[in-house]
Amino acid sequence: MTEELPRVLIVDDEPGMREGVSRLLKNRGFETGTAEDGNAALECLKQMQYPIVLVDLKMPGMDGFEFLERTQAFERKIICIIVSAFATIESAVQTTKMGAFDFVVKPFTPDDLMLVVNRAVEKWRLSRETARLRAERDAHLLQLATEKSRLRTIMQSMADGLLVVNIDGHVVLDNTAARRLLGRVDASCVSVPIETLIPNEEIYHEIQRLLDARDDTLFFLEWEPDNAEVAGIPMALRVKLASIKDESGRFLGVVVLLSDISEPKQYERMKTRFISMVAHEIRSPIGAVESYLNLFEDGIYLDNPERVREIARRCLDRTTALLALVEDLLEITRRDGPSRKKNIEKIDVAALLRDLVEFHRPSATERGIPMETEVAGERHVIDADPGDIERLIGNLISNAIKYNIDSGKVFIRLEGASDCIRLEVRDTGIGMTPEETKRLGEEFYRVKNSKTRAITGTGLGLSLVKKIVASYKGSLEIDSASGEGSSFRVSIPVRSKIPAAETRK
Ligand code: ADP
């Protein structure tokens, strides 16, 4: 493959000279252009690129000196070869100072000219190669800078914390998430020994092991920071460790990935607590029923029908309570599920309340607790699911009795307003502290003290009440004072604002 040659412009006022040189160069593979003076040459340079220009020094109009001066200011450098019959050493020195590449004296032989032209071609090739290398290096630098900034952006946007630990066990790189998860929002982890950041012996031991063994093993460990609650640090973190090696397999350090697993951890704990609570709640009534059934199996009391009936009633009470628990559990899972549909009807809340009070009266009377009911206002009809309203009122009444003192009191007030109904269930029972009151409605939350120890329950009732009220965009207010009693006030809009999807067609 022949090498590429630069285009050459010949600037001379003598036509014979222009054509002669042009022919000579064309014969040697050059592409050429011609101009009769400096102005015409500048015009040619505007139209086309001529890396090499052969320019006569003496020309009418713009001479070689001026042309040289003008072209030296160009951004794209032109290699100028001065050609002149009037050459003197001074003008040669002057044009070289002005930036001319070389000088040819007229008359010249083709070889004289080609010697200079070939050197100019060499210089053109060299500067072209230099420019190519510079462009390549700039592109590479740009690519590196872009990749670096892209990597940094990705690292900083990660939800997981990232620490890179060098072979001395010091952090050399961190990201925002790592600082947040380690409770060092404003302080970099860089240069800090890893055991200071993760003061967990097992993890530190594994990091040390990786640093010593320099193998490829991946580790997953869980860490529950001691200071989690104080500093807002996650309750539990999953720590992943992996070795870092370069392309040639050289060990560079360890990467530590930190993920916040507080939520699944909390869920897991709640589930365990829930299962143990359900098992506990179910065990005692089933145990009681089993003992009674054993008595029957042994034939005891068969001659005492009155006693049999009494025992059967106790068994029924226990199984009824068990069914209520199972119902609550099912209801909670149903409400949290996606397919819960409401059966919206017009409900007379005053009538429903009357029925519910009568339903609970025997258990209240048993403990010497009178129940006083007041119904104010004209209309107490609302659009709602009867199951929801029954569960809501039933839970509040049953709690007012359960958490009351013997011979305490329960007041219930229902008021029908134009836009909503308001229900207050007040008791003179054991009450709660402000901290306990604040936690009401959390699933499975039960106040634990000497007064509540003997009272059975699931800790699901108020959580259901809260969910029901929220589903009607109503409100629930609770006031309570330890040792004095509690008041639960609910307000439910008369017109259901439940979205169509939740309303049964
Ligand atoms: P359960 O009664 O099944 O335990 P709830 O969700 O209905 O569950 O109530 C949660 C806790 O709130 C109860 O365990 C009890 O400690 C407290 N509580 C509820 N109602 C009252 C009340 N009227 N007076 C005092 N404490 C109450």
Side-chain angles (χ1 to χ4, degrees):
M1 201 180 85
T2 50
E3 270 197 276
E4 197 192 338
L5 287 171
R7 213 177 281 122
V8 182
L9 182 65
I10 300 132
V11 191
D12 204 306
D13 56 334
E14 281 179 46
M17 190 64 180
R18 288 199 301 268
E19 275 144 37
V21 173
S22 177
R23 203 176 317 117
L24 181 76
L25 291 175
K26 276 183 175 157
N27 286 341
R28 282 165 172 79
F30 287 88
E31 210 180 302
T32 59
T34 53
E36 67 274 18
D37 65 11
N39 278 318
L42 287 179
E43 211 40 54
C44 286
L45 289 175
K46 270 191 213 155
Q47 312 289 330
M48 207 178 262
Q49 271 189 43
Y50 288 96
I52 298 177
V53 179
L54 281 162
V55 58
D56 187 12
L57 209 51
K58 273 253 181 207
M59 286 181 294
M62 191 191 289
D63 66 7
F65 288 105
E66 194 183 341
F67 175 81
L68 186 62
E69 201 178 317
R70 299 275 281 270
T71 52
Q72 287 310 297
F74 286 7
E75 205 180 311
R76 185 187 289 277
K77 292 293 165 227
I78 289 170
I79 303 171
C80 278
I81 301 170
I82 304 295
V83 185
S84 180
F86 305 98
T88 62
I89 292 296
E90 290 88 77
S91 54
V93 170
Q94 192 185 345
T95 50
T96 314
K97 272 188 188 158
M98 285 169 71
F101 172 69
D102 212 340
F103 204 91
V104 189
V105 184
K106 280 183 195 171
F108 47 77
T109 65
D111 286 349
D112 290 341
L113 180 72
M114 285 320 296
L115 197 75
V116 179
V117 169
N118 284 339
R119 278 188 27 228
V121 169
E122 201 51 44
K123 176 176 164 65
W124 170 74
R125 285 198 177 122
L126 273 173
S127 43
R128 217 163 61 140
E129 184 60 9
T130 311
R132 191 187 63 76
L133 286 172
R134 187 175 301 136
E136 212 170 70
R137 190 197 58 196
D138 287 353
H140 187 60
L141 274 177
L142 185 72
Q143 192 188 354
L144 269 181
T146 317
E147 260 166 32
K148 216 171 143 187
S149 100
R150 196 184 301 146
L151 263 178
R152 183 154 286 278
T153 311
I154 294 171
M155 248 180 61
Q156 296 306 335
S157 334
M158 277 168 64
D160 285 345
L162 181 129
L163 298 170
V164 175
V165 182
N166 68 9
I167 46 178
D168 299 326
H170 284 74
V171 172
V172 288
L173 193 79
D174 69 349
N175 72 351
T176 322
R179 294 180 194 184
R180 181 175 46 78
L181 295 172
L182 296 170
R184 300 169 58 93
V185 181
D186 297 319
S188 161
C189 303
V190 172
S191 302
V192 181
I194 189 70
E195 74 263 36
T196 313
L197 295 168
I198 306 181
N200 175 289
E201 223 167 277
E202 195 189 356
I203 295 172
Y204 180 59
H205 173 79
E206 284 311 336
I207 293 177
Q208 266 311 321
R209 229 192 48 70
L210 271 182
L211 291 176
D212 294 342
R214 307 189 167 195
D215 61 16
D216 291 327
T217 333
L218 250 179
F219 283 99
F220 296 81
L221 298 135
E222 281 183 14
W223 174 43
E224 299 188 4
D226 296 339
N227 52 346
E229 279 184 15
V230 191
I233 295 169
M235 188 181 90
L237 286 164
R238 174 172 300 125
V239 183
K240 263 185 236 174
L241 306 176
S243 313
I244 314 171
K245 290 187 175 174
D246 68 8
E247 279 165 9
S248 59
R250 195 159 52 105
F251 182 86
L252 300 175
V254 173
V255 64
V256 181
L257 261 186
L258 304 165
S259 330
D260 182 356
I261 52 161
S262 305
E263 219 173 280
K265 205 72 192 164
Q266 209 157 2
Y267 179 73
E268 212 175 273
R269 282 184 195 167
M270 233 172 73
K271 207 169 79 181
T272 316
R273 212 175 63 207
F274 170 73
I275 292 170
S276 93
M277 191 209 63
V278 170
H280 185 261
E281 290 294 326
I282 287 175
R283 191 175 54 187
S284 76
I286 291 186
V289 172
E290 190 190 28
S291 328
Y292 289 131
L293 290 176
N294 279 336
L295 292 179
F296 289 151
E297 199 187 24
D298 295 344
I300 301 168
Y301 299 137
L302 283 184
D303 51 347
N304 186 348
E306 201 38 53
R307 185 87 178 104
V308 169
R309 210 170 293 128
E310 189 202 320
I311 290 173
R313 206 171 37 245
R314 283 194 201 166
C315 286
L316 275 174
D317 283 351
R318 296 299 192 128
T319 48
T320 308
L322 261 180
L323 279 176
L325 169 67
V326 172
E327 266 308 311
D328 269 3
L329 293 173
L330 284 176
E331 190 58 29
I332 284 279
T333 45
R334 263 204 298 269
R335 277 186 185 277
D336 288 341
S339 57
R340 158 86 182 154
K341 293 253 191 307
K342 284 192 188 294
N343 176 24
I344 302 291
E345 289 175 13
K346 296 233 169 290
I347 305 167
D348 181 348
V349 182
L352 180 64
L353 177 64
R354 256 192 313 274
D355 290 350
L356 286 168
V357 168
E358 288 322 309
F359 177 78
H360 285 95
R361 201 179 293 283
S363 58
T365 311
E366 208 174 284
R367 295 183 55 208
I369 301 170
M371 287 205 285
E372 220 175 84
T373 312
E374 182 193 341
V375 176
E378 300 275 291
R379 252 181 86 80
H380 310 99
V381 176
I382 60 166
D383 292 341
D385 186 321
D388 283 350
I389 305 303
E390 191 175 328
R391 194 171 289 278
L392 176 123
I393 302 176
N395 266 321
L396 295 181
I397 296 179
S398 109
N399 280 353
I401 300 168
K402 267 196 325 188
Y403 300 102
N404 218 318
I405 48 168
D406 288 345
S407 307
K409 284 192 175 65
V410 174
F411 302 99
I412 303 165
R413 185 172 195 277
L414 175 69
E415 186 191 334
S418 58
D419 56 342
C420 68
I421 54 138
R422 296 190 194 102
L423 174 77
E424 179 180 13
V425 178
R426 189 153 49 88
D427 64 67
T428 57
I430 60 173
M432 287 164 286
T433 64
E435 291 71 39
E436 290 162 352
T437 312
K438 217 182 287 169
R439 294 198 56 190
L440 291 188
E442 277 178 30
E443 278 170 20
F444 311 117
Y445 175 70
R446 304 199 71 214
V447 176
K448 286 203 179 83
N449 56 38
S450 56
K451 292 178 192 157
T452 58
R453 193 167 302 130
I455 308 170
T456 56
T458 56
L460 295 175
L462 284 182
S463 136
L464 273 172
V465 166
K466 214 169 152 187
K467 281 185 206 277
I468 293 170
V469 170
S471 73
Y472 290 95
K473 307 220 169 8
S475 67
L476 169 68
E477 285 169 39
I478 308 169
D479 281 326
S480 189
S482 198
E484 290 178 27
S486 313
S487 158
F488 291 77
R489 290 181 303 282
V490 173
S491 164
I492 303 269
V494 169
R495 300 266 161 257
S496 163
K497 290 180 190 148
I498 292 163
E502 272 197 61
T503 309
R504 193 183 287 169
K505 300 269 160 13

